[in-house]
Amino acid sequence: MIFWTLDRVAAAIGDSASRRHPRGSSDLAGISTDSRKVGKGELFVALDGGQFNGHDYIDAAVGNGAAAVLVSRPFDDLQVPVFVVPDTLVALGQLANYYRRAWGGPVVMVAGSNGKTTTKDLISAALSRAMKVHATTGNLNNRIGVPLTLLSIPPAAEIAVVEAGTNLPGEVATLRDIIDPDISVVTSVGEEHLEGLGDLAGVLKEEAAAFDGVRIAITPAAQPEIAEAAHGKAREVITAGLDDGDLRPDSWSLSPEGIGTLTFEDVSVTPPLRGAHNLRNTMLALAVAHSCGVSDEVAAAGIQAMPVPRMRVAWEQIGKATLVNDAYNANPGSARAAIDIVRSLDGDRQRVIVLGTMRELGSESRRCHDEIAAYALDSGADIVAGIGEFAESLDRVAPADPRTVTSPDVGGLWPALEPRLKPDAVILLKASRGVRLEQLVPQLSTWAKP
């Protein structure tokens, strides 16, 4: 089904005082931001990505079949219609919002410091047995990824679940305006992206922008300040939690291995994600399901069938050892949650915590790393290994503690760590994505296999 025409592109981005955009009913097969993958008949949007500028690849895009281009400087010698705008990134958002409104279905926006992607996946799963769901794939949650997610909504979709991230003030508000959500979920507020957001008050202000003008705000009961920030912004505020909130289970439990279960009368929900923090994320997903008219029984079936997200508390048995791979991202809140899973384990198996640098913490970085290093040591772990800033923190916090193993980088850690591992160890990997702590997995697998 073809949606885009020259007229609709012009309507989405609007004419400027100095330039009138091309017009006509000619079909455009879609919208692309990648000159290598642009399809025949599509509109190519030239974005400036820092390292690569789409304007340098206009000829390649046209050669690959682009039927029109959207740019921020004139290209008068092209044989296709040219839309010129002040900022192509802004225009991409305008195109996405135009299509989102034309599609017209309900949209759930998911923001927050920790658990955005996991909660997005839980919401999608909770709705999936009752509705045709379109959701963010991977981590496309920025000012490019969010528009691309909206532009890819299939006409038959009945609801969209869109993740929105931030690292600078005003980004959540910008994404909210593009998404135009009916329901906004803020999963948590914690120490994240402090380089740009300053402090916890700045983080709360930034994330709470997701609630402006929405029909329903869904917030975690464990952080009442988020609900307080939502009041006056959203028409209705729903809190969800384990022990309190507008929506809470009749009971909940957590096994020694971190597997949680929520019970509502005769319905039990056991998400395939470990830790109490993921039970709280599940409650947020169930609150969305309730708001969309999906029963607990149907939502539970969807959640229990969902695949385990990669590198998000992924529990893997390798030989006699257990690997807990939570190396997708890290900040102080998510690091504490991951450490708590290891802390809660029963038995006398060796407990190993491997920590890599938490990025974008600005002037608070040293304090945050020192606090998490101390938290890991206080957890009862047998070994706490640190890479990068955590190596420095462990040296400061516990310079004489025989349980510590440190290295400046991933490559240097394994030779020091391997001799100290026991065959049945439980090993947690936790770091920011850029550290690529998962590089230890092949070495751990080779070591652990009989």
Side-chain angles (χ1 to χ4, degrees), residues 409-435:
D409 52 40
V410 178
L413 183 69
W414 182 245
L417 179 61
E418 180 185 15
R420 301 182 59 174
L421 295 177
K422 294 182 179 180
D424 66 346
V426 179
I427 305 162
L428 168 68
L429 304 182
K430 185 66 178 175
S432 283
R433 187 71 193 91
V435 177

Side-chain angles (χ1 to χ4, degrees), residues 146-317:
V146 165
L148 293 178
T149 297
L150 294 172
L151 288 166
S152 64
I153 297 175
E158 296 174 300
I159 193 166
V161 184
V162 183
E163 180 182 337
T166 181
N167 53 25
L168 294 171
E171 196 163 7
V172 168
T174 297
L175 294 176
R176 182 212 60 232
D177 288 345
I178 294 169
I179 296 168
D180 189 20
D182 301 272
I183 300 171
S184 283
V185 181
V186 170
T187 60
S188 63
V189 166
E191 292 165 314
E192 56 148 353
H193 304 302
L194 298 183
E195 264 181 358
L197 302 178
D199 54 20
L200 278 175
V203 176
L204 176 60
K205 180 180 179 181
E206 175 67 10
E207 299 292 2
F211 300 131
D212 284 335
V214 301
R215 181 168 57 87
I216 298 173
I218 294 176
T219 71
Q223 289 191 282
E225 67 272 19
I226 302 177
E228 184 179 342
H231 283 290
K233 293 176 178 287
R235 279 176 268 171
E236 180 183 0
V237 179
I238 299 171
T239 58
L242 297 180
D243 299 307
D244 50 13
D246 301 314
L247 179 67
R248 58 185 181 271
D250 296 325
S251 63
W252 65 277
S253 61
L254 202 64
S255 77
E257 293 78 27
I259 298 173
T261 298
L262 304 164
T263 303
F264 301 85
E265 296 182 354
D266 57 348
V267 176
S268 292
V269 186
T270 303
L273 300 157
R274 297 174 191 252
H277 64 296
N278 277 321
L279 284 184
R280 295 186 182 93
N281 292 336
T282 302
M283 288 303 306
L284 296 173
L286 291 171
V288 173
H290 278 217
S291 299
C292 296
V294 178
S295 69
D296 288 336
E297 185 176 10
V298 172
I303 288 171
Q304 289 170 188
M306 69 179 281
V308 178
R310 182 171 173 266
M311 292 196 296
R312 293 183 182 87
V313 201
W315 201 274
E316 181 182 354
Q317 198 68 33

Side-chain angles (χ1 to χ4, degrees), residues 113-114 190-194 329-339 358-361 364-365 367-369 371-372 375 390 430 432:
S113 298
N114 298 308
E191 292 165 314
E192 56 148 353
H193 304 302
L194 298 183
N329 210 347
N331 58 37
S334 66
R336 287 189 182 92
I339 291 166
M358 302 180 294
R359 295 187 168 180
E360 298 186 46
L361 293 174
E364 298 298 311
S365 183
R367 174 185 64 80
C368 290
H369 282 87
E371 288 179 359
I372 296 303
Y375 193 80
F390 270 117
K430 185 66 178 175
S432 283

